[in-house]
Amino acid sequence: MMTFKKILLLCFLFSMSIVLGQQPIDRVLPADNYFYNPTINTSNQATFPNGSSSTSALQSMINSLSNAGGGVLTINAGTYTLSQVHMKTGVHIRVHPDVVFKSEPRNSLFRAGYDNSFANVSNWSFQSTNGEKFTFDFSELNPGEGIRAFQLGNTNNFKLSDFLVLDNFTKFNAVSSGAVGSSPAKFASFGIIENLDIKKAHYGYGLTQNQVIQDVLFRNLSGEGGVTLRLESGFKGLADLYVTDKTPIINNVYGRNISCTKGAHAVMLSPHTITQGMVDVRDISGTSCEAVVSINFGFLSESKGQSDSNGNPINGHNQGTFSENSVIANVSATYGVEAQVRSARLRHVPCALRGYIHLEEKNPDDESYKSPSLAPVYYLALEDYVSLGNPKGRYKIVLENVTHTGFSSEIRADGLITDGGENDFEGCDINDSPIWIKGDDKNTPNPLQTSYVAEILNNDDFLKDNSFLIYQKENSKFITIKSNLKAKIEVYNFLGQLVLKEEKNTEIMSLDVSNLSKSMYVFHFNIDGNQFIKKIIIK
C-alpha cells in the first residue's frame, strides 16, 4: 500500500516534471491552425482583371466578394500599377507568380484593418497560386521615398505569403504592423507571414517592422539590406498610447528560418518604452550583416517627450524590456565585408579591418556605411545587467547555439557584443569621422584587441599584372620572396609594432625571420608607389 509520504513525493516529482518541461527552450511551436484557421468560400470566385485593370476595379471585386460572404479572387499574370487597396473580411486572393505590382510613393499599397474607421478585417489571405513568389517592384522609386507593400492594423486570422520585394533603399518596411484607433488599441493578431524576400532594403527599415503584433508566426523570411524581422516599438504615438493602455505590445511572436545578407540584422529586438511579451525565434542565419541578431535595451527619448535633459523618465514613460522567457536559438553568422553599419557602431570593427570600411560615402540609404560584419549577436540588453529591469531597460533572454565563421580572433569566441565600451576598438590608425566613441565608452580596454594598424587594400588590380610569390619552406628560418619587382618591405606584429624592415633588390630574396616568434604577421610591400599587404603565418 502506498503511504501518504510516497503520494506527496510522486506529486512533487510530477509537478517538477511539468515545470522542467516548460523551460523556454523546450517550448513547442504551435500548429499552423493556431495562428491561421480560415474559412474559404470557394463557391464565390472572381478573376482580375476582368475588363479594367484599375485600382477601383480591383477594390470593387474585393468588396463584392466580401459582401457576398467571402470568396476567392485570382489575379492573373501581368504588371499592375495601383494606388491603395483595402483587404476585406473573407476574401482570399491568389496571385499568379508572373504578377508584378507597382505603385507611386504612398504609405502602403495594400492595407488591412485601416478602412471604415479601422473596422476589423478577418479571415483573409494574400498568397501565390502555386507557392512561387510574385513581385512588388519599387526599384524605380528614389532612395528615401516612402512605400510599403502591406500595412496591418485591426486584423486577425490572416495569411500573407509568397512575394519578392524589389526595393531601392526606400523609406518604410515592406510589411508593417502597428496600433490603430483610440484606447483600447486595435492591432494585428493571429496570422502567418511567410515565404517573403526583399532586395536592396534601407538600413533603417527592411522586410518587416512590427510595432505591435501578437500570436503571429513569421517563417522563411530573407532580406538583402535592412532588418528582415524587426520587433521594435519606437513610434511616438504608440509610446504615448501605452502610458494609459497596456494592451498594444509585442507578444507570443514566433519566427523560424529568418536570414539576412549584406544588411543590418536578420532579427532585431528593441523595446524602447514598452514592456513587451514573449518572442521565440529560431534558425536564424546571416552573411555579411552588421550582426545577425540585435537585442537592444529599452531607452527613453528626450525629443519624444519621454525623458528630461538628464535622462530621467517623464510623462509616465519608462524604459521597456522583452520577457525573459523569450528565446533566440540556432544562430549562424558568416563574416563579410559588405554589411550595412551605422556610424555609431563602426567602433566595433577591429583596427586591422578598418580599411574595409567605405568611409568616403554613405550607402544610398544615407544612414549606413559598407563595412565588415561586427559580430554574430549585438546584445546590449546585457550591458551592466543585474536582473530584469536592473538597470532600467536591461533584460536577459534565452540565447542558445550561436555559431560563426570567418570572424577575426579579436571578436569574442561566443560571438557577442555585450558592452559598448569593452567590446569596441580604440587607438586605431583609422579612427576619424564618422567613427566615434561616446564619452563614457572611451578609454575602456578591450582584452581581445591585438591590432592597431589597418590593412592596406586595393591590391587586386596591381597583382593581376605582376607575379609575386611568398612562401616559407618547412623548418626554414627564412621567408622566400620571388618577384622581378623591387620592393621596400615592412613587417608588423598584431600590436601594430614594426618588427622587421628590409629592401628587396633581387629577383629572389630570403628574408631572415629567425628572431620572430611563431605567429601571424602583416607584411607591407611598397613597390614603385603601389602598396599591398599580405598576412603570413611564420612557423
Side-chain angles (χ1 to χ4, degrees):
M1 175 177 269
M2 189 172 292
T3 67
F4 180 69
K5 287 184 177 180
K6 288 183 178 180
I7 293 173
L8 285 178
L9 178 61
L10 286 175
C11 289
F12 172 76
L13 293 174
F14 178 72
S15 62
M16 286 301 296
S17 69
I18 293 176
V19 171
L20 292 174
Q22 292 177 338
Q23 292 299 309
I25 196 63
D26 298 324
R27 185 182 295 116
V28 176
L29 177 68
D32 280 14
N33 62 9
Y34 169 81
F35 302 102
Y36 171 63
N37 190 18
T39 300
I40 303 177
N41 185 357
T42 57
S43 63
N44 287 340
Q45 300 274 342
T47 301
F48 177 85
N50 184 10
S52 173
S53 61
S54 67
T55 302
S56 59
L58 177 57
Q59 187 68 68
S60 179
M61 286 185 175
I62 293 172
N63 293 348
S64 295
L65 283 173
S66 181
N67 292 336
V72 179
L73 172 60
T74 301
I75 299 181
N76 287 334
T79 298
Y80 305 103
T81 301
L82 303 172
S83 54
Q84 197 161 87
V85 177
H86 291 273
M87 297 299 298
K88 298 293 181 179
T89 292
V91 178
H92 297 268
I93 295 181
R94 301 293 177 260
V95 184
H96 191 281
D98 291 332
V99 164
V100 177
F101 293 112
K102 295 189 174 187
S103 183
E104 297 298 319
R106 64 186 71 256
N107 49 28
S108 186
L109 183 48
F110 289 89
R111 277 181 152 186
Y114 278 82
D115 201 17
N116 297 327
S117 301
F118 309 114
N120 177 258
V121 176
S122 64
N123 184 32
W124 63 273
S125 59
F126 196 99
Q127 60 192 97
S128 168
T129 55
N130 62 1
E132 296 180 19
K133 293 184 179 75
F134 52 95
T135 303
F136 286 87
D137 186 355
F138 303 143
S139 62
E140 296 177 2
L141 275 64
N142 295 318
E145 289 188 310
I147 188 67
R148 298 178 180 90
F150 261 90
Q151 193 172 20
L152 305 177
N154 182 14
T155 186
N156 62 282
N157 195 18
F158 64 89
K159 184 174 183 179
L160 184 59
S161 65
D162 310 327
F163 60 78
L164 165 68
V165 180
L166 300 177
D167 203 356
N168 190 32
F169 308 100
T170 61
K171 185 179 178 181
F172 304 136
N173 293 71
V175 179
S176 70
S177 64
V180 296
S182 57
S183 183
K186 303 172 180 65
F187 45 84
S189 63
F190 292 99
I192 295 176
I193 298 174
E194 67 176 350
N195 197 26
L196 309 184
D197 188 15
I198 192 170
K199 305 295 184 185
K200 293 187 177 180
H202 190 297
Y203 171 88
Y205 299 97
L207 182 61
T208 69
Q209 161 103 42
N210 303 278
Q211 302 269 357
V212 184
I213 200 160
Q214 296 180 14
D215 297 288
V216 169
L217 169 63
F218 295 88
R219 184 168 54 198
N220 300 332
L221 307 183
S222 57
E224 177 192 83
V227 180
T228 306
L229 176 55
R230 184 187 294 263
L231 300 168
E232 180 181 23
S233 49
F235 178 55
K236 181 182 184 302
L238 174 63
D240 293 342
L241 174 65
Y242 182 74
V243 172
T244 56
D245 180 2
K246 303 302 184 185
T247 60
I249 66 172
I250 296 168
N251 190 34
N252 289 336
V253 170
Y254 292 81
R256 295 293 185 271
N257 192 24
I258 315 296
S259 68
C260 68
T261 57
K262 301 179 183 179
H265 318 295
V267 178
M268 175 181 175
L269 276 58
S270 185
H272 287 250
T273 63
I274 294 180
T275 302
Q276 310 285 15
M278 183 278 294
V279 301
D280 187 314
V281 188
R282 312 187 190 204
D283 307 325
I284 308 163
S285 62
T287 300
S288 201
C289 297
E290 181 181 78
V292 175
V293 175
S294 174
I295 308 168
N296 208 359
F297 50 75
F299 60 92
L300 304 172
S301 168
E302 182 181 357
S303 65
K304 295 177 182 178
Q306 299 162 358
S307 70
D308 61 22
S309 59
N310 295 318
N312 299 310
I314 59 175
N315 299 324
H317 297 285
N318 284 291
Q319 295 91 332
T321 58
F322 273 85
S323 166
E324 294 196 330
N325 285 323
S326 296
V327 172
I328 297 288
N330 308 331
V331 180
S332 173
T334 301
Y335 170 82
V337 295
E338 296 182 90
Q340 294 172 328
V341 180
R342 61 196 293 185
S343 60
R345 294 179 179 175
L346 292 171
R347 60 198 173 108
H348 296 292
V349 176
C351 298
L353 302 176
R354 292 276 171 97
Y356 290 89
I357 305 172
H358 290 239
L359 296 173
E360 64 278 4
E361 62 178 350
K362 289 183 179 178
N363 289 322
D365 56 34
D366 198 36
E367 189 172 334
S368 67
Y369 293 85
K370 184 183 289 187
S371 165
S373 304
L374 305 183
V377 181
Y378 190 80
Y379 196 173
L380 289 196
L382 272 187
E383 188 172 37
D384 302 322
Y385 172 87
V386 177
S387 60
L388 177 64
N390 182 16
K392 294 287 189 180
R394 294 332 193 252
Y395 56 96
K396 183 179 182 180
I397 67 168
V398 176
L399 176 66
E400 288 206 2
N401 191 24
V402 177
T403 60
H404 51 89
T405 303
F407 284 85
S408 164
S409 59
E410 295 180 80
I411 302 302
R412 284 171 44 168
D414 62 6
L416 308 186
I417 291 175
T418 61
D419 189 297
E422 184 178 307
N423 298 146
D424 64 15
F425 296 88
E426 302 183 43
C428 302
D429 62 336
I430 296 180
N431 200 29
D432 299 322
S433 179
I435 303 171
W436 61 276
I437 300 175
K438 65 180 183 178
D440 56 353
D441 284 339
K442 289 181 179 179
N443 302 316
T444 50
N446 183 338
L448 295 178
Q449 183 168 354
T450 58
S451 69
Y452 294 86
V453 177
E455 297 178 357
I456 300 171
L457 307 180
N458 302 321
N459 308 325
D460 292 345
D461 292 338
F462 174 74
L463 292 177
K464 283 178 184 176
D465 302 320
N466 298 281
S467 172
F468 216 88
L469 182 63
I470 307 168
Y471 60 92
Q472 181 184 18
K473 290 183 178 179
E474 189 173 356
N475 299 321
S476 173
K477 301 285 187 183
F478 294 89
I479 294 287
T480 300
I481 304 171
K482 187 175 182 180
S483 173
N484 59 355
L485 299 173
K486 296 181 180 180
K488 293 180 179 180
I489 304 168
E490 294 180 343
V491 181
Y492 294 84
N493 63 21
F494 263 77
L495 294 176
Q497 299 168 328
L498 179 66
V499 295
L500 188 62
K501 186 175 182 178
E502 294 285 350
E503 288 194 15
K504 176 185 174 299
N505 296 306
T506 58
E507 182 177 352
I508 299 176
M509 176 185 181
S510 294
L511 187 64
D512 186 354
V513 294
S514 58
N515 290 327
L516 300 183
S517 59
K518 294 180 180 181
S519 183
M520 180 178 286
Y521 292 84
V522 182
F523 283 61
H524 291 243
F525 297 87
N526 188 314
I527 303 170
D528 296 329
N530 293 292
Q531 294 193 52
F532 74 96
I533 188 170
K534 188 172 182 66
K535 291 181 182 178
I536 297 176
I537 297 176
I538 293 179
K539 304 172 184 177

